[in-house]
Structure formats: C-alpha cells, structure tokens
Amino acid sequence: MSTNETHVEAAESLNVLLATQQVIKEALNRLGYGDDLYNLLSQPLRTLTVRFPVTMDDGSVKVFTGYRAQHNDAVGPTKGGIRLHPDVNEEEIQALSMWMSVKCGIADLPYGGGKGGIVCDPRDMSFAEIERLSRAYVRAISQIVGPAKDIPAPDVFSNSQNMAWMFDEYSRIRESDSPGFITGKPVVLGGSVGRERATARGVAICIDEACRVKGIQLSGARVVVQGFGNAGSYLAKYMKDAGALVVGISDAYGALYQPNGLDVDELLERRDSFGSVTKLYRDTITNKELLELPCDILVPAAIENQITTDNASNIQASIVVEAANGPTTMAATDILDRRGVLVVPDVLGNSGGVIVSYFEWVQNNQGYYWSDSEVDTNLSRVLQRSFSAVYAASQKYSVNMRLAAYIVGVQRMAEAARWRGWV
Ligand code: GLU
C-alpha cells in the first residue's frame, strides 16, 4: 500500500459516521444480507436537532444546540446516553446511536440504539446553569422520548444529577412520575444499585475474559488507563483491587506514569467531578506517550480516535479493552490485530453501562428493586455470554473482534426488521 493510500484510509476512518457505515456494511455482507438492510441501518431513522434558550447566572440568555438520534427501533425502544461536550455534533451523535444499537444487539437487550448531545462545556458552567440546561433540553426533546420510545442515560460529562433533573422535568411535563424515562438516576429516585460503577465493572469482566484467552495473569499485570472519568477511575480501582499494577493514567490535561504502580486511592480522592487530577502533579507525560507505555493491558477510557494508524504500531500492550466509545479506528484495529494484540471493542468492552441501565429500567417498570449481588451476578452472566458470542464469531468468520462484534450486534436488528416487514 502506498503512503498516499495509507493516508486516505486514515483520513476516512477518522470520520466516525463513515467508519461506522463501513463496518455495518461489512458485517451485513458477512451475514449474507443485501443492500436493502444496509440502506435501512446505515443511518438513524430519526435525528432531532433542537435549539433552546437558557438563562445564565449573569442574567444573559444563551441559545444552546442539542441533538437526539434514534438509530433503529425494530427490536424495541431506543436507548443511549446524553453527552455534554463542546465537540458534540450531529454526525457524531448519529454514529454513537448506531454503536448503541450494536451494543444492545450483542448484549441481547430489547432495545435499539439512541444518543443525545448538547453542545456546551459544563466545566465552565455553574451548578444552577447546568440544571437549567438539563431541564431545557428535556423540554425540547420531550415529544420523541419516553419509557417505551427512547430512554436516555448518562454519557460524557453527564451524571446522576443531570439524570435526576431530567427525570423530574419529564415527570412534570407528563404530569406522572416516570422513572422508566431515563436511567442512571440516583438510587433514591429509582436508580439501580451498581449503575455508577457498571461500565468499569463490565470493562473489568472483559479484561478477565481477555486475559483468559491470552493466557495472562491479571495479578501483577501492568495496566494503563487513558481517562479518569466515571469509567476510567472505577476501572483503575477494580484493577488495583485485582492485584494489577496501574502504571499510567491520564485526564484531558496530561498523564501520570509510575512503573511500580500509581497510588490509585490517592488519585481517586484528589480527582474533581470531571475526572481531572493530573494538574495537581508536577511530573507528567503527554497522552500520546501514555498510550505507548510498556504495559500488558491498555484501556482507552476517554474519547474517540486515540489509537490510529499513526500510533497503532507503537502500542506495547497485548490486550486493549475499549472503555470509551470509538477510541480505536478500524484501520488501527487491523494493525493491532495483525500484531497479535487482542482488541475488545467498545460495543462489547463498555456495554456494562447500558446492561445495568436495562436492569434499572426493568426494576422501574416492575417497581421492585434488586440487591447489589443480583445486579453483579446478572451483569457478569450477560457480559460473559456476550464476550463468548463475539469471540466465537471472530473465530467462525476469521475476523478481528470489532467486526465480529458488529456481526453479532447487527444480526438481531436485521432479523427484527425482516419480521416486521420493513425490508
Ligand atoms: N452512555 C453509555 C454508553 O455509551 C450508557 C448508555 C445507557 O446506559 O443507555 O453505553
């Protein structure tokens, strides 16, 4: 392949929507489905763009833009988080809604994929401003969401407090208490125990499974975690408790490296609510250096497109488990795969979050609440089954774990659409 071609491939794969369409097409081809299904699944069925005014603390009014994309509801209502981030854009939210469909398909949840986002930087906003923003967004999208339509949840820079405000606003609009409208709520408002740490717990289960496949002992293994938000911070703690050495972590401002293992408990204590902690330390390295550190297990738990054709050959880990959505491009996955690195893709690696969201919704619908151990046992069961299904597909079709995950994930959507007579 010429340098030029390599460049074209890399540039294309950084567009998350195009990259997702390519892998969905490939998965449908392998399953023997034709263009009719690709046409149906290559874009969300609905994308709502909203603009809404929010009064800021200084009395000025700012108009924010938000989105809610619903990829496909052949299997059931759509499901997926709401991210609050300055880089949010329509194509990204659409791609993320498609990843949610695949994620729900792999875990066999009765949902299609959805995703929402608000273009904003909550790190620069007050608590009261974020409350008004969260409520205004729900008012703007209230027509298309609901417990049997589309069920939001937390995502990048949103948390149980945002969910609580959104739940309250939605219940007021409907004049009816509607806990099943949104998941990731505080436990006292109908949230599920274990939801907050669910993504990290799911990543930890996938790490166990990947270690088994690769014959690696987790105890004593060196782990690098990129990102110290909800997923990354809980994961670092799980890894430390399992006897692994967390040698590197990072946030949006820099990264820390300690070959003998970082003091995870101290870092957890010092991080702020957006997962920032490295500013408090002097000896930092860059995020780029962090990804290329000598280690056994690398967990990208930050944002998209972190492992690309530019750095895939320098990754030293033998297992990469994606806690973030979209951190590795398809081209980079191929490079890692050829080098014998086992990549557990986002749609499997971080699915613990939506799996426990499903448990939360089930509990809300029944008005009957589970114990910690019921949540953990059921999460392990679903994730172990999901991992086996994806691993088996990768063997059956001789493809990497990402394409295998899409093959497993799109199959149910395709079948449901067929049964409904849509294609
Ligand atoms: N935002 C999380 C994800 O991307 C969770 C979604 C949910 O719980 O619905 O998987």
Side-chain angles (χ1 to χ4, degrees):
M1 187 183 281
S2 76
T3 327
N4 234 348
E5 273 168 342
T6 313
H7 228 84
V8 169
E9 189 180 298
E12 268 182 1
S13 60
L14 293 181
N15 178 317
V16 284
L17 184 56
L18 269 181
T20 309
Q21 288 169 333
Q22 277 163 9
V23 59
I24 285 185
K25 186 169 209 142
E26 183 71 34
L28 289 170
N29 280 345
R30 303 271 175 160
L31 288 165
Y33 290 113
D35 284 350
D36 50 352
L37 263 161
Y38 177 69
N39 287 339
L40 180 73
L41 300 180
S42 61
Q43 284 186 42
L45 293 178
R46 281 176 286 278
T47 307
L48 179 67
T49 303
V50 291
R51 294 178 71 247
F52 51 94
V54 176
T55 306
M56 308 308 279
D57 289 345
D58 65 5
S60 65
V61 173
K62 212 168 147 185
V63 179
F64 288 86
T65 301
Y67 305 96
R68 185 74 194 170
Q70 300 173 339
H71 175 231
N72 194 284
D73 52 10
V75 173
T78 46
K79 178 91 193 80
I82 296 167
R83 65 173 53 182
L84 310 181
H85 198 275
D87 297 338
V88 160
N89 62 75
E90 185 175 349
E91 278 198 349
E92 177 202 42
I93 295 300
Q94 291 180 320
L96 284 160
S97 75
M98 293 156 80
W99 301 349
M100 286 308 302
S101 284
V102 177
K103 221 181 272 191
C104 295
I106 296 168
D108 220 0
L109 309 181
Y111 296 136
K115 200 78 174 198
I118 308 173
V119 187
C120 67
D121 196 339
R123 291 167 295 190
D124 294 338
M125 295 170 71
S126 73
F127 197 68
E129 286 171 344
I130 298 174
E131 174 176 359
R132 291 194 288 274
L133 174 91
S134 304
R135 290 183 184 277
Y137 173 72
V138 166
R139 288 195 297 276
I141 63 163
S142 68
Q143 289 300 318
I144 65 158
V145 288
K149 274 189 189 171
D150 181 12
I151 305 127
D155 199 78
V156 175
F157 290 163
S158 62
N159 54 31
S160 55
Q161 177 63 81
N162 301 91
M163 301 304 110
W165 289 322
M166 291 181 179
F167 156 60
D168 185 65
E169 192 65 27
Y170 185 83
S171 297
R172 285 173 194 224
I173 294 169
R174 293 275 173 263
E175 296 181 354
S176 159
D177 201 53
S178 314
F181 149 67
I182 202 162
T183 59
K185 302 178 291 296
V187 173
V188 69
L189 291 182
S192 177
V193 291
R195 174 61 185 87
E196 199 150 301
R197 56 188 154 79
T199 307
R201 170 122 178 83
V203 176
I205 295 168
C206 287
I207 289 176
D208 275 341
E209 296 295 304
C211 281
R212 210 171 32 78
V213 168
K214 294 290 278 183
I216 290 177
Q217 265 277 9
L218 182 54
S219 163
R222 294 159 305 164
V223 182
V224 167
V225 185
Q226 185 201 30
F228 212 56
N230 177 269
S233 60
Y234 277 110
L235 196 259
K237 177 81 175 139
Y238 275 125
M239 291 298 100
K240 191 207 141 211
D241 291 347
L245 288 181
V246 179
V247 296
I249 65 107
S250 73
D251 60 22
Y253 307 99
L256 302 173
Y257 175 50
Q258 172 49 258
N260 300 322
L262 292 157
D263 185 340
V264 172
D265 293 313
E266 181 190 299
L267 294 170
L268 284 171
E269 230 164 74
R270 302 189 73 185
R271 74 192 265 280
D272 70 17
S273 60
F274 294 106
S276 300
V277 69
T278 63
K279 277 196 258 182
L280 305 173
Y281 294 84
R282 246 177 312 146
D283 290 330
T284 57
I285 58 171
T286 63
N287 247 299
K288 180 180 166 356
E289 288 165 336
L290 176 100
L291 294 171
E292 298 175 9
L293 285 175
C295 65
D296 303 293
I297 301 162
L298 171 63
V299 181
I303 47 168
E304 289 102 333
N305 293 331
Q306 297 300 296
I307 306 177
T308 65
T309 47
D310 288 341
N311 61 355
S313 312
N314 304 336
I315 302 295
Q316 299 197 47
S318 36
I319 295 173
V320 174
V321 180
E322 296 182 337
N325 285 315
T328 313
T329 63
M330 194 65 192
T333 308
D334 284 337
I335 295 173
L336 292 170
D337 194 51
R338 278 201 296 275
R339 292 182 49 223
V341 180
L342 180 67
V343 179
V344 179
D346 46 9
V347 284
L348 173 62
N350 70 25
S351 62
V354 71
I355 293 168
V356 177
S357 271
Y358 165 60
F359 298 160
E360 180 173 333
W361 179 77
V362 167
Q363 293 169 71
N364 294 150
N365 291 345
Q366 295 185 335
Y368 175 77
Y369 288 86
W370 304 3
S371 67
D372 258 319
S373 71
E374 275 169 297
V375 170
D376 279 353
T377 311
N378 281 298
L379 175 59
S380 299
R381 182 181 48 79
V382 175
L383 260 170
Q384 280 157 359
R385 188 191 60 204
S386 302
F387 190 98
S388 300
V390 172
Y391 190 68
S394 80
Q395 305 284 301
K396 178 175 170 191
Y397 293 93
S398 302
V399 295
N400 66 44
M401 290 278 281
R402 188 179 312 283
L403 182 51
Y406 274 74
I407 291 173
V408 175
V410 299
Q411 181 148 27
R412 217 163 46 111
M413 242 185 310
E415 277 174 26
R418 277 268 144 89
W419 276 105
R420 284 181 187 259
W422 289 0
V423 279

